[in-house]
Amino acid sequence: LSVSLFTSLHVIGAIHSKNLVGSTDAIIKYVVEVDPNKYETIRRLCGESTKIVPYGDGGCERVLADPEVQAVIITTQTGLHKEIIMRSLNAGKAVFCEKPIGETPEETQECYQLAEKLNLPLFCAFQRRWDPTISRIQSNVRDGTIGHVQIIKSVSRDSPLPSIEYLKISGGIFHDCMVHDIDVITWILGELPSQVHTMANAQIPEIAAINDYDNVVTTLRFPSGTIGVINVNRFAAYGYDNRVEVFGMKGMLQAENKRPDSLISESRDGTSTNPILFSFASRYHDAYRAEMKCFIDVALGKVPLPITYDNTRSVSRIAEAAESSARSGKPVDIAWEKSEIPVGYFA
């Protein structure tokens, strides 16, 4: 698969670059970079055979006009997502895009409508689905291994603390961070919540100054009686803390934090282990690789699109309700039309 990577090279762009360079199923023909200061870093990551093209000055048009390019991968700032998606689809390319697809529900809908009209895949990246442990939890829950789920919990505490410059353009903690927890919980259960209730505050003054939160707990009420709990924080001093727990009538399933190795040291001074992994890039190293492999297979027509418009729309709507609850201090009810419920889910 010949691909073009549209990026403003930061952590996620570097992750996908490395995975594509290491893939036997794809080659990066072009990198379209927004920031000229990143060109040398791109050359080191992608090699001399990859052509680096500026986003402006007709660079985008030249790349999309190349018939050898079959797919486009987008890791730019959110404000460019819709423009690149629409151009790429109209040029006949399969599209992989980091969330969110658009800055508004209307933009997202427009992108998916064009993809459907042109019969091209638009793949929204929610990499946690490809984590081996989380994937096994989903399979076990759907198979009924632990019976009816009573409580499902997700913890996401970030490391390192993102820069204020990034946070200002991130879309806020609900749409930047919590969407991953919402996607995982609803995907594991195959169910959408009927009510959410959030308590949140900002304990870091710089985050309070931009009217965002850094300390959040959201509860989700599901029609089946399951209760969901999501805890999201912008910074954990001890590393990237991301865990999932599912408690059912017949047992419990857990995805714990990852460490560099499983060594436990015991002595008369006590017990010690290595710290948990530092960031999401290391925690989800395997998941990002598997996610990109899935997109390549989707683009080549080998497998169906695993994350649909209904998936991304429902996740965004739940995130909006969670933020609305945080700002009002009141629970928010969510009513779902039948046409809004993803295939394989209920509400």
Side-chain angles (χ1 to χ4, degrees):
L1 184 76
S2 177
V3 305
S4 176
L5 176 66
F6 284 72
T7 183
S8 43
L9 196 67
H10 40 62
V11 175
I12 194 64
I15 289 170
H16 292 316
S17 297
K18 290 175 182 176
N19 286 335
L20 287 165
V21 168
S23 171
T24 59
D25 300 312
I27 59 167
I28 308 176
K29 185 167 184 180
Y30 301 100
V31 173
V32 182
E33 173 55 58
V34 175
D35 183 0
N37 295 319
K38 304 288 180 63
Y39 287 2
E40 189 54 42
T41 303
I42 293 168
R43 286 192 184 93
R44 290 197 301 270
L45 276 173
C46 300
E48 295 296 329
S49 62
T50 296
K51 298 175 184 177
I52 304 172
V53 179
Y55 182 75
D57 300 323
C60 180
E61 290 81 359
R62 291 196 304 274
V63 168
L64 293 178
D66 186 339
E68 290 186 0
V69 173
Q70 299 163 276
V72 166
I73 294 163
I74 303 168
T75 69
T76 62
Q77 58 266 43
T78 300
L80 291 175
H81 285 187
K82 182 201 170 187
E83 177 184 341
I84 301 172
I85 289 169
M86 299 294 278
R87 285 185 174 191
S88 301
L89 291 171
N90 279 317
K93 317 300 183 186
V95 178
F96 174 106
C97 187
E98 283 297 323
K99 54 82 185 163
I101 294 295
E103 293 190 282
T104 65
E106 293 75 21
E107 285 190 0
T108 299
Q109 182 180 27
E110 190 176 348
C111 291
Y112 275 104
Q113 284 177 339
L114 182 61
E116 183 178 10
K117 177 183 175 181
L118 298 175
N119 194 29
L120 290 166
L122 174 53
F123 189 116
C124 183
F126 281 112
Q127 89 284 350
R128 293 186 192 178
R129 292 189 182 205
W130 282 268
D131 176 79
T133 305
I134 292 175
S135 179
R136 286 187 63 194
I137 286 176
Q138 193 262 3
S139 297
N140 275 267
V141 169
R142 295 292 191 100
D143 289 345
T145 303
I146 61 169
H148 171 65
V149 175
Q150 296 171 270
I151 295 176
I152 182 168
K153 301 178 183 178
S154 180
V155 172
S156 293
R157 298 171 184 157
D158 213 351
S159 167
L161 177 66
S163 68
I164 291 298
E165 289 71 25
Y166 170 76
L167 294 178
K168 286 178 180 177
I169 62 170
S170 69
I173 194 168
F174 294 94
H175 292 276
D176 183 45
C177 292
M178 189 180 283
V179 286
H180 287 287
D181 303 86
I182 294 168
D183 179 64
V184 162
I185 283 179
T186 55
W187 177 62
I188 287 172
L189 295 175
E191 187 176 5
L192 301 178
S194 56
Q195 185 186 81
V196 298
H197 192 187
T198 301
M199 295 183 66
N201 56 36
Q203 302 198 4
I204 299 172
E206 292 81 359
I207 293 179
I210 61 172
N211 196 32
D212 199 2
Y213 303 99
D214 56 54
N215 186 43
V216 180
V217 174
T218 294
T219 57
L220 305 94
R221 184 187 301 276
F222 291 89
S224 66
T226 299
I227 296 172
V229 182
I230 298 174
N231 169 214
V232 178
N233 296 77
R234 276 295 188 186
F235 178 61
Y238 50 89
Y240 185 75
D241 185 359
N242 188 206
R243 291 167 279 135
V244 176
E245 177 187 293
V246 189
F247 173 67
M249 298 292 288
K250 299 179 182 178
M252 180 175 68
L253 301 166
Q254 293 177 297
E256 287 294 336
N257 286 315
K258 290 186 177 180
R259 303 175 188 272
D261 58 49
S262 58
L263 176 66
I264 300 174
S265 176
E266 303 273 6
S267 74
R268 58 187 173 187
D269 296 322
T271 302
S272 64
T273 63
N274 278 317
I276 61 176
L277 296 175
F278 179 66
S279 72
F280 72 88
S282 48
R283 167 66 178 84
Y284 285 109
H285 176 270
D286 293 339
Y288 279 115
R289 184 182 298 169
E291 178 189 50
M292 186 54 64
K293 175 65 168 65
C294 180
F295 170 67
I296 292 168
D297 287 344
V298 168
L300 292 173
K302 295 180 179 180
V303 297
L305 187 69
I307 298 174
T308 66
Y309 172 46
D310 289 337
N311 292 127
T312 56
R313 175 173 57 178
S314 61
V315 167
S316 294
R317 189 173 171 198
I318 296 163
E320 288 170 6
E323 181 173 10
S324 176
S325 176
R327 301 205 180 274
S328 70
K330 299 177 181 178
V332 174
D333 293 329
I334 309 175
W336 301 96
E337 299 290 337
K338 187 176 181 180
S339 61
E340 296 176 313
I341 302 171
V343 174
Y345 287 52
F346 66 95

